[in-house]
């Protein structure tokens, strides 16, 4: 991609979704439609669930990006369905957003970037072929949600995929930590084991650039607390030793504008200020369309109705997220760090 030399503000985490009425391969399971995550996404998009379509969702997503005054570029994320033994398994897939759907969205719009998704359990030749095709179509990163897609990052079938991305200098953005926002984790509780950040060490040792998504914890509560583990602390520990181990490990701060994550933002600031972790290890992402709460006003008590009213009155959520995090004290460079990490 040819951009000017000046680093731009890049939002690396825009979640694309669709119901499938467009006939372009989008899919959302019935379980996910009735999940709290989907309801919150509709609230953020300000769309009527009774008048919902792929076209409506697409227009809201694109309009939000196009009217943003703070974001220069945004990565739209595809999500491949579950594959087993080389075959696509729709019945076990929670969300499917085909690469071609995202390719069409980003076409002819210089502010939009293609985030591809290829399941490593596709038939081997087809997996590499699809990976190559996405790279040729301009993919700036690849996207996995191991628990939802039922991917074990340590599986040997992942190695050829990792090697191809390393060769192209292309990162993988990957959810880690306990994942209850997507219902496959509730249906198949064991799938959360695939989100163990330590399963990424093999790929890091190979040289893969990995962006850990959403700070390695859940939207709702402390990560893996009932298992006696703190995945956020594990992420911080791995980031601290990344220079020594020569790991290309990064973390995005997507979906951080929520009350449960204030302490984590404060911790990230402290780690940077104390020189424990380089600020270059953190990248900006909004997590749009997730609801945005002005965490700066939470130092005073607000009742739930006031918070709901605040969310409904918001205008451009991308600009709101950017402004909130800036006011919170997130270092300016974090908003442009992706410029040095993505394939641009």
């Amino acid at each position: 991609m040819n951009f000017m030399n000046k680093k731009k503000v890049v939002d690396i985490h825009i979640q694309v979704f669709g119901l499938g009425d467009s006939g372009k391969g989008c899919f959302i399971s019935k379980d996910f439609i009735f999940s709290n995550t989907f309801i919150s996404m509709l609230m953020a998009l300000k769309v009527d669930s009774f008048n919902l379509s792929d076209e409506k969702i697409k227009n809201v997503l694109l309009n939000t990006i196009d009217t943003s005054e703070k974001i220069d570029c945004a990565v739209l994320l595809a999500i491949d369905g579950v594959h087993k033994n080389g075959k696509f398994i729709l019945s076990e897939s929670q969300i499917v957003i085909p690469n071609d759907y995202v390719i069409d969205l980003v076409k002819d719009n210089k502010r939009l970037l293609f985030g591809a998704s290829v399941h490593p359990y596709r038939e081997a030749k087809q997996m590499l072929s699809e990976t190559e095709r996405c790279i040729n179509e301009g993919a700036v990163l690849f996207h996995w949600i191991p628990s939802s897609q039922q991917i074990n990052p340590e599986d040997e079938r992942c190695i050829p995929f990792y090697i191809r991305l390393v060769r192209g200098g292309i990162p993988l953005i990957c959810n880690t930590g306990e994942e209850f926002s997507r219902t496959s984790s509730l249906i198949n509780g064991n799938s959360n084991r695939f989100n163990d950040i330590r399963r990424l060490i093999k790929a890091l040792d190979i040289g893969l650039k990995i962006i850990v998504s959403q700070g390695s914890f859940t939207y709702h509560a402390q990560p893996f607390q009932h298992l006696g583990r703190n995945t956020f602390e594990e992420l911080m520990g791995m980031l601290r030793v990344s220079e020594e181990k020569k790991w290309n490990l990064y973390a995005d701060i997507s979906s951080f504008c929520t009350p449960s994550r204030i302490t984590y933002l404060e911790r990230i600031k402290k780690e940077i200020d104390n020189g424990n972790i380089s600020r270059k290890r953190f990248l900006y992402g909004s997590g749009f369309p997730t609801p945005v709460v002005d965490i700066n006003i939470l130092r005073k008590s607000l009742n739930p109705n006031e918070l709901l009213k605040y969310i409904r009155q918001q205008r451009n959520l991308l600009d709101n997220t950017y402004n909130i995090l800036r006011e919170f004290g997130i270092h300016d460079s974090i908003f442009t760090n992706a410029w040095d990490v993505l394939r641009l």
Side-chain angles (χ1 to χ4, degrees), residues 253-269:
I253 56 171
S254 61
S255 303
F256 265 61
C257 289
T258 179
S260 64
R261 297 190 174 181
I262 293 177
T263 56
Y264 298 110
L265 279 174
E266 291 173 340
R267 176 64 181 282
I268 288 171
K269 286 175 57 181

Side-chain angles (χ1 to χ4, degrees), residues 267-285:
R267 176 64 181 282
I268 288 171
K269 286 175 57 181
K270 184 177 180 180
E271 292 285 345
I272 292 173
D273 292 342
N274 290 345
N276 297 326
I277 302 174
S278 170
R279 63 172 62 101
K280 73 179 182 181
R281 297 285 177 178
F282 297 97
L283 311 180
Y284 174 66

Side-chain angles (χ1 to χ4, degrees), residues 167-187:
R167 194 167 79 240
I170 305 168
L172 172 69
I173 185 169
C174 186
N175 281 40
T176 65
E178 196 169 28
E179 178 66 66
F180 282 138
S181 64
R182 304 185 193 278
T183 55
S184 64
S185 300
L186 295 175
I187 296 169

Side-chain angles (χ1 to χ4, degrees), residues 1 112 116 146 150 160 205 247 264 267 344:
M1 298 205 173
L112 303 181
Q150 301 181 42
D205 287 339
W247 284 343
Y264 298 110
R267 176 64 181 282
L344 297 173

Side-chain angles (χ1 to χ4, degrees), residues 57-298:
I57 296 169
K58 180 188 77 171
N59 289 340
V60 174
L61 281 170
L62 297 185
N63 182 66
T64 303
I65 297 169
D66 288 340
T67 58
S68 172
E69 298 177 355
K70 302 296 183 181
I71 306 304
D72 295 308
C73 305
V75 182
L76 305 188
L77 300 177
I79 179 73
D80 203 359
V82 172
H83 285 72
K84 293 183 176 180
N85 300 317
K87 295 182 179 180
F88 171 50
I89 311 296
L90 180 63
S91 62
E92 296 188 32
S93 302
Q94 293 298 303
I95 302 178
V96 179
I97 302 298
N99 290 314
D100 282 336
Y101 187 74
V102 180
I103 289 169
D104 286 343
L105 292 181
V106 306
K107 191 180 300 181
D108 301 323
N109 189 326
K110 294 182 179 179
R111 299 186 73 176
L112 303 181
L113 303 173
F114 173 31
S117 185
V118 176
H119 200 294
Y121 299 172
R122 289 179 178 225
E123 189 277 325
K125 289 184 179 180
Q126 201 276 335
M127 181 271 289
L128 288 174
S129 174
E130 178 65 3
T131 301
E132 197 69 36
R133 185 180 77 90
C134 289
I135 292 172
N136 291 335
E137 289 286 352
V140 299
L141 55 72
F142 282 74
H143 175 223
W144 281 0
I145 306 174
S147 58
S148 180
Q149 295 174 284
Q150 301 181 42
I151 298 170
N152 177 6
E154 293 181 310
D155 194 302
E156 290 299 316
R157 288 172 289 183
C158 300
I159 302 302
F161 175 75
Y162 294 155
I163 290 173
R164 179 60 188 93
L165 266 57
V166 170
R167 194 167 79 240
I170 305 168
L172 172 69
I173 185 169
C174 186
N175 281 40
T176 65
E178 196 169 28
E179 178 66 66
F180 282 138
S181 64
R182 304 185 193 278
T183 55
S184 64
S185 300
L186 295 175
I187 296 169
N188 180 9
N190 288 333
S191 65
N192 259 321
R193 71 189 188 278
F194 295 145
N195 279 9
D196 188 337
I197 191 172
R198 295 169 297 184
R199 291 178 183 263
L200 298 173
I201 290 176
K202 179 184 288 188
L204 289 168
D205 287 339
I206 290 173
L208 181 63
K209 291 181 183 179
I210 295 179
I211 305 167
V212 173
S213 180
Q214 300 182 0
S216 194
F217 48 82
T218 68
Y219 185 85
H220 301 290
Q222 292 282 351
F224 280 112
Q225 197 170 51
H226 69 286
L227 299 179
R229 291 179 50 210
N230 189 318
T231 53
F232 178 77
E233 288 298 332
E234 290 173 351
L235 171 61
M236 293 297 103
M238 289 176 66
L239 286 169
R240 284 191 214 102
V241 301
S242 288
E243 298 290 340
E244 174 188 343
K245 292 184 175 291
K246 302 187 185 304
W247 284 343
N248 291 311
L249 178 63
Y250 305 87
D252 80 14
I253 56 171
S254 61
S255 303
F256 265 61
C257 289
T258 179
S260 64
R261 297 190 174 181
I262 293 177
T263 56
Y264 298 110
L265 279 174
E266 291 173 340
R267 176 64 181 282
I268 288 171
K269 286 175 57 181
K270 184 177 180 180
E271 292 285 345
I272 292 173
D273 292 342
N274 290 345
N276 297 326
I277 302 174
S278 170
R279 63 172 62 101
K280 73 179 182 181
R281 297 285 177 178
F282 297 97
L283 311 180
Y284 174 66
S286 64
F288 181 78
T290 56
V292 177
V293 175
D294 188 349
I295 53 179
N296 299 295
I297 68 174
L298 294 178

